[in-house]
Amino acid sequence: MDFALTDEQELLLESVREFCDRYFTDDVVKEMYENGGMPDEIAEAYRDAGFGLMGIPEEYGGIPADKVTLGLMIEELYHSAGCMHILYQNSLSMFDIMEFGTEEQKQQAVDHYMETGWPIASLSISEPGAGSDNGSMTCVAKKQADGTYKLSGQKTWVTMGEKLPYTIVVAKDEDPSRDNRNMSLWYIPMDTPGVSTASLHKIGQQCIPFCEVYFDDVVVTEEQRMGKPGEGFMMLMKNFEVERSFIVAEQVGLAQAALEDAAKYANQRIAFGKPITKLQMIQEKLCDMEIKVQNTRNMLYKTLWKLDNGESVQLDSAMLKRYGCSECFQVADMALSIYAGLGYTTEVRIGRIWADLRGNMFGGGTHEVMAYIAGRQVAKKYAN
């Protein structure tokens, strides 16, 4: 095992730190959370720095990068920013387009990104009655006599759905019943007649807006389909393994920031005539926080290494998501307790990090569903 970073990776991380130091000052972050979004200036600067092109195929103007390098970039992006922002998260839709889209859709996505600094599409997957239970999806596309399709249904928790011009929708083919497992992906302009939205409000991650999206007999054509008919959800499941790993990279970065803040504060805070780092219970918290961050980081990069080497990570990514998101949230929770009452105010960022990390325990598959996925795989692994 070689844990050393390459010279290129070191330079990349240094560039990310410089970018965050410039654009994610405490005042800017507070303003982002108050306004419920990120300024275009930051998205454009991120584009100009080339970070948003990492991992995109070279023939579309992207910068080739392995999954380990992408994970390192994401971790540092959230560690140095110290907040849950949108910059990397919606690059996931770009990956879906590059994986499953037509040549026209791929080029359109890249052109839009280079022009605006924002991804072209949101992802419309979950429904009010079908999050973890994807078989209960009722959003459906039915073929009409003229060869078009009518899409009807509702999606929820759609990140950036009201800002981005397109959305990628997973919908059942023809029949919305639970027994139907055939689903397709559709690439839909948000200004299509019959598409409407309603904002949703979170208790954390306020600078990443999301919404509900309604489809009322929206007419779509075969050219708007992504990938093969009936295989939409399985295509998304393939990318979920990558998404879960990158969500944990975000978690590790924010947990590291929380740990550093708490340790610095504990060295400065005087109680009973001495810094509270001299108190055994504070030492125990700091020790456990460091263990949780290191363990999660090790699991993360092993999983990304396996992805880079073409190995299956169905078990690894589910265990990583379940363990890593929970442990990183616990790091923030212990950091908040070290700050005590001050941590429960808006004067320091630890409360914001705490709420942000809790939200990531839902995205990409819930804590409970990860146990369901991993548990079946563990049973198979040791069956003989």
Side-chain angles (χ1 to χ4, degrees):
M1 292 181 288
D2 183 359
F3 292 95
L5 302 183
T6 65
D7 290 343
E8 291 79 7
Q9 289 169 337
E10 292 280 13
L11 286 171
L12 173 64
L13 298 185
E14 183 180 347
S15 297
V16 171
R17 285 190 286 270
E18 291 175 354
F19 172 83
C20 290
D21 287 346
R22 179 175 180 180
Y23 290 101
F24 287 94
T25 64
D26 198 49
D27 288 342
V28 169
V29 172
K30 286 180 179 178
E31 186 176 340
M32 284 166 51
Y33 275 69
E34 290 171 1
N35 295 337
M38 191 173 67
D40 290 342
E41 175 194 4
I42 298 180
E44 291 166 0
Y46 184 78
R47 172 203 61 197
D48 294 344
F51 301 133
L53 295 173
M54 297 286 290
I56 303 300
E58 197 168 11
E59 59 265 33
Y60 298 100
I63 302 171
D66 56 44
K67 298 296 190 302
V68 167
T69 299
L70 290 172
L72 289 166
M73 182 185 77
I74 296 165
E75 179 188 342
E76 190 57 53
L77 188 61
Y78 289 82
H79 167 228
S80 293
C83 72
M84 194 68 201
H85 52 74
I86 197 61
L87 283 177
Y88 187 77
Q89 200 174 56
N90 258 340
S91 291
L92 292 169
S93 67
M94 286 281 282
F95 291 154
D96 286 327
I97 293 170
M98 291 299 154
E99 185 92 17
F100 311 122
T102 65
E103 289 301 310
E104 182 181 355
Q105 290 165 349
K106 292 176 185 178
Q107 194 59 57
Q108 183 188 33
V110 172
D111 290 346
H112 179 270
Y113 179 75
M114 295 307 297
E115 180 181 346
T116 67
W118 295 104
I120 197 169
S122 60
L123 296 175
S124 293
I125 303 174
S126 295
E127 298 181 10
S132 301
D133 180 14
N134 55 76
S136 293
M137 284 185 186
T138 58
C139 192
V140 62
K142 296 183 178 182
K143 193 168 186 176
Q144 306 301 299
D146 63 358
T148 64
Y149 296 80
K150 279 192 176 180
L151 177 70
S152 300
Q154 177 183 352
K155 295 294 181 178
T156 193
W157 323 128
V158 180
T159 302
M160 299 287 285
E162 292 180 306
K163 180 176 178 64
L164 305 182
Y166 284 76
T167 191
I168 298 170
V169 184
V170 58
K172 289 188 174 181
D173 297 336
E174 301 300 328
D175 178 13
S177 68
R178 182 175 180 80
D179 293 337
N180 182 21
R181 308 297 292 182
N182 294 319
M183 306 179 192
S184 294
L185 291 182
W186 301 93
Y187 183 68
I188 299 175
M190 291 298 291
D191 60 0
T192 302
V195 177
S196 58
T197 64
S199 298
L200 291 167
H201 304 284
K202 296 173 282 186
I203 60 174
Q205 303 187 5
Q206 285 94 340
C207 74
I208 305 178
F210 64 15
C211 66
E212 293 189 328
V213 182
Y214 306 94
F215 303 96
D216 184 14
D217 288 339
V218 176
V219 177
V220 295
T221 65
E222 194 64 43
E223 288 72 28
Q224 292 173 263
R225 191 194 299 272
M226 296 179 67
K228 296 180 180 179
E231 297 182 6
F233 196 79
M234 294 309 297
M235 289 189 289
L236 286 178
M237 287 300 99
K238 178 183 177 182
N239 276 9
F240 262 139
E241 294 177 352
V242 178
E243 179 185 358
R244 287 165 185 158
S245 300
F246 289 160
I247 286 174
V248 175
E250 297 170 359
Q251 292 284 99
V252 173
L254 287 174
Q256 183 69 50
L259 170 56
E260 291 172 5
D261 283 5
K264 182 178 180 180
Y265 176 76
N267 275 299
Q268 297 171 345
R269 173 66 170 170
I270 305 298
F272 306 104
K274 56 188 176 184
I276 62 173
T277 48
K278 302 296 183 180
L279 302 176
Q280 186 173 350
M281 292 192 72
I282 299 298
Q283 294 170 354
E284 184 178 22
K285 287 183 186 295
L286 292 172
C287 173
D288 287 346
M289 292 160 74
E290 179 74 8
I291 290 171
K292 291 174 187 294
V293 170
Q294 288 203 26
N295 280 348
T296 302
R297 184 178 285 122
N298 289 337
M299 286 185 70
L300 167 64
Y301 290 107
K302 180 182 177 183
T303 301
L304 294 174
W305 179 87
K306 292 180 74 171
L307 275 168
D308 283 332
N309 285 275
E311 297 185 28
S312 172
V313 296
Q314 187 174 12
L315 171 59
D316 302 76
S317 63
M319 290 192 303
L320 172 66
K321 177 69 169 56
R322 178 177 171 86
Y323 177 84
C325 283
S326 176
E327 293 298 283
C328 288
F329 172 70
Q330 291 300 320
V331 169
D333 197 55
M334 287 189 282
L336 192 149
S337 68
I338 288 174
Y339 272 92
L342 180 59
Y344 204 60
T345 71
T346 57
E347 297 303 311
V348 294
R349 67 180 183 174
I350 194 61
R352 183 178 65 234
I353 292 175
W354 179 88
D356 287 353
L357 289 176
R358 186 62 182 87
N360 268 356
M361 290 176 69
F362 302 114
T366 65
H367 185 70
E368 294 77 14
V369 167
M370 292 305 99
Y372 170 69
I373 294 172
R376 290 180 300 168
Q377 295 299 313
V378 172
K380 291 178 183 178
K381 180 177 179 180
Y382 298 109
N384 297 317

